[in-house]
Amino acid sequence: MHNLEHIREYSRRRQRFMASIGPGSVALIFATGEKRRNADVEYLFRPHSDFVYLTGFHEPDGLLVLAPSHPTMEEVLFVRARDVAAEQWNGRRLGAERVRETLGIENGFTIEEYSDVIPSLLDGRDALHADQDVETSHQVEVWLNSMKESGLAPPEERVELEDTLHELRLIKSDAEIETMQKAADISAAAHQRAMRYCKPGISELALESELQHEFALRGARFTAYPSIVASGPNGCIMHYIQNDRTIEDGDLILIDAGCEYRYYASDITRTFPANGRFTPQQREIYELVLSAQLAAIDQVKTGHLFTDPHDTSTRVLAQGLLDLGILKGSLDEVLEQELAKPFTVHRCSHFLGLDVHDVGKREIDGEARALEPGMVLTVEPGLYFGNAETMPDLDPSLHDIGIRIEDDVVVTENGNRVLSVDLPKSADDVEALMAG
Ligand code: GLY
Ligand code: MN
Ligand code: MN
């Protein structure tokens, strides 16, 4: 985005958020700080998604204060002060004096100015909107107490952000969807690279490095979550991230990996044969999972419920397990008694956005919510057959098979758009890609 357009996008978000909390409220949105790894080394910093959403700013220790209809300062951003010596060691800082022209936020202050400015922003407001994060809550309590001691009137009510800011984050703007498309494109390219490179005898870590390389080459330095590169039996471990096994001939490889691009997540899973050819049994189960996934994607539509993709994929998988003779009984019995659950394990969808498991309520008043244009969710059914220890009654030829297929899907006015649509997923297309 051009800088002016960029400024306008974030300004619109702040305006909409302020309209949702209403005059008389004040919101504190913290970037959070760096975390120490060990002597002189910090973990790579990534600001809190609420802060990024409203500012587009990425330095640690920032604080955005929004006070709708405040007589003098509606929008205030506190940032680290310029410091030539610190900047020579640890990189450039924006500084309070450049907040307005760079970010379009009217009032920039340094964090050293907290105690001069914060009381006047909070005084007389009735509700304080903030995340109840332990670290930042402590800071807020200190401010509120010192205001009381000086005879000021801090807000009495504390409100979580889930009904306001997180509802805004749930519906993505065109600019956000464009960024998420880019994230999905980069991840799709990385998956293709890993599939092409894969062969028996290499390590899972070598495959992970192919993903990392492609992410970085295309401008995505971070992953949205630690990449899962699971070969053979590891495919049955949902969040396998050890990635240190040597890949064997005949294994299936389950890669669940997505980059974070400009703070937006992608989350894609493909499962493929290490040697480039599915066995007939692997193919049969793969095609069952794929048919469940395609049926579930068809359920992603404005007005359908958040749970519809899950219910549909569960039904298809349950029928498939009956057809394969792995489950016995009627489809209704299997669904009612949740007999497929040991094989399907997890839910089929979650929201996706700045966070991989993104904010936004899946239920309203205890009922699944309806999908709306601009929501983005994953569709990711799987089947997992465990091993002799966890599933002793199963035909041993099924043991250690774990298959998941995951795509990122935007709800549109007329249906949906699959952001990761260009990444091959039919068994034939996967084999063709690996042969090419
Ligand atoms: N990679 C985490 C998930 O698929 O939800
Ligand atoms: Mn995933
Ligand atoms: Mn997911």
Side-chain angles (χ1 to χ4, degrees):
M1 264 187 286
H2 180 267
N3 194 41
L4 198 58
E5 225 177 286
H6 199 258
I7 286 178
R8 286 206 189 108
E9 168 84 14
Y10 289 98
S11 171
R12 256 195 309 272
R13 295 179 193 178
R14 290 192 297 276
Q15 291 299 329
R16 293 184 58 215
F17 174 56
M18 285 195 283
S20 82
I21 63 174
S25 288
V26 61
L28 300 178
I29 314 286
F30 290 88
T32 75
E34 286 175 315
K35 300 247 183 308
R36 187 156 176 259
R37 187 161 186 260
N38 55 43
D40 298 331
V41 180
E42 272 81 44
Y43 287 101
L44 281 174
F45 176 72
R46 198 272 194 191
H48 194 286
S49 296
D50 288 337
F51 182 83
V52 170
Y53 181 77
L54 292 171
T55 63
F57 184 55
H58 52 79
E59 284 181 26
D61 301 330
L63 169 61
L64 176 71
V65 184
L66 296 174
S69 311
H70 188 279
T72 54
M73 293 191 291
E74 263 201 329
E75 300 189 345
V76 179
L77 183 66
F78 294 91
V79 298
R80 298 182 303 181
R82 295 287 319 274
D83 177 335
V84 174
E87 289 180 52
Q88 186 181 10
W89 282 96
N90 298 320
R92 296 185 185 87
R93 298 178 177 190
L94 180 70
E97 40 296 80
R98 286 186 288 195
V99 161
R100 187 189 319 172
E101 59 159 311
T102 310
L103 301 172
I105 296 172
E106 199 58 29
N107 305 284
F109 291 99
T110 69
I111 51 188
E112 284 74 24
E113 292 172 294
Y114 273 164
S115 48
D116 297 334
V117 183
I118 297 267
S120 69
L121 292 168
L122 268 52
D123 187 32
R125 300 260 141 187
D126 34 55
L128 172 61
H129 295 250
D131 189 9
Q132 307 281 6
D133 173 64
V134 228
E135 209 179 304
T136 55
S137 282
H138 175 70
Q139 168 83 81
V140 174
E141 287 314 314
V142 171
W143 289 334
L144 297 179
N145 288 334
S146 86
M147 283 180 72
K148 281 187 205 144
E149 281 162 18
S150 350
L152 295 174
E156 299 265 334
E157 193 191 345
R158 288 290 289 272
V159 189
E160 280 288 338
L161 298 169
E162 61 180 9
D163 291 329
T164 55
L165 186 57
H166 295 175
E167 284 294 299
L168 298 181
R169 278 179 54 189
L170 176 57
I171 308 295
K172 275 70 183 173
S173 69
D174 291 348
E176 289 182 284
I177 290 172
E178 202 180 302
T179 306
M180 292 185 76
Q181 178 67 67
K182 186 81 204 267
D185 290 345
I186 294 171
S187 297
H191 275 264
Q192 296 206 33
R193 183 186 181 110
M195 280 190 219
R196 284 204 194 92
Y197 182 78
C198 187
K199 52 186 173 296
I202 66 167
S203 68
E204 293 169 340
L205 183 57
L207 270 192
E208 183 181 4
S209 77
E210 294 297 308
L211 297 166
Q212 290 281 122
H213 186 82
E214 198 68 27
F215 290 161
L217 263 184
R218 292 173 184 259
R221 186 175 185 195
F222 292 92
T223 58
Y225 53 92
S227 299
I228 296 166
V229 181
S231 63
N234 297 331
C236 295
I237 302 171
M238 295 313 112
H239 291 167
Y240 173 81
I241 55 170
Q242 210 172 315
N243 300 357
D244 64 357
R245 180 177 173 274
T246 300
I247 291 166
E248 293 176 14
D249 199 10
D251 284 348
L252 285 174
I253 314 291
L254 184 159
I255 294 186
D256 181 346
C259 72
E260 178 176 294
Y261 181 73
R262 298 195 174 157
Y263 304 108
Y264 283 85
S266 53
D267 182 7
I268 301 178
T269 307
R270 288 292 183 268
T271 307
F272 54 91
N275 62 17
R277 303 288 290 182
F278 288 98
T279 66
Q281 187 187 41
Q282 288 169 346
R283 181 181 271 261
E284 188 171 34
I285 296 171
Y286 184 88
E287 287 178 340
L288 170 57
V289 176
L290 182 56
S291 67
Q293 202 235 11
L294 294 172
I297 290 174
D298 269 346
Q299 293 297 313
V300 179
K301 282 193 174 96
T302 296
H304 281 208
L305 299 179
F306 176 78
T307 43
D308 285 344
H310 177 79
D311 292 344
T312 295
S313 75
T314 303
R315 179 172 284 271
V316 174
L317 294 173
Q319 184 61 55
L321 291 169
L322 284 168
D323 295 344
L324 290 166
I326 295 166
L327 289 177
K328 308 258 181 290
S330 71
L331 180 59
D332 284 343
E333 280 164 4
V334 168
L335 294 174
E336 235 156 71
Q337 298 168 38
E338 299 192 339
L339 301 179
K341 190 99 182 276
F343 306 103
T344 59
V345 184
H346 54 81
R347 310 262 333 156
C348 162
S349 294
H350 54 80
F351 291 125
L352 185 73
L354 287 163
D355 297 340
V356 60
H357 289 184
D358 205 32
V359 295
K361 291 181 218 160
R362 298 169 184 191
E363 291 185 352
I364 292 179
D365 300 329
E367 306 277 342
R369 82 185 291 165
L371 298 175
E372 296 170 43
M375 290 179 176
V376 182
L377 55 152
T378 65
V379 178
E380 49 174 311
L383 281 177
Y384 311 91
F385 290 102
N387 55 37
E389 188 187 20
T390 57
M391 296 199 172
D393 300 332
L394 203 63
D395 169 2
S397 72
L398 288 163
H399 281 149
D400 295 336
I401 293 180
I403 295 173
R404 176 163 67 254
I405 306 172
E406 174 174 31
D407 285 302
D408 303 340
V409 185
V410 188
V411 184
T412 62
E413 298 284 348
N414 315 313
N416 67 60
R417 184 153 69 85
V418 179
L419 294 176
S420 38
V421 71
D422 291 334
L423 181 59
K425 67 179 169 182
S426 76
D428 286 344
D429 288 350
V430 167
E431 287 183 349
L433 170 65
M434 294 185 73

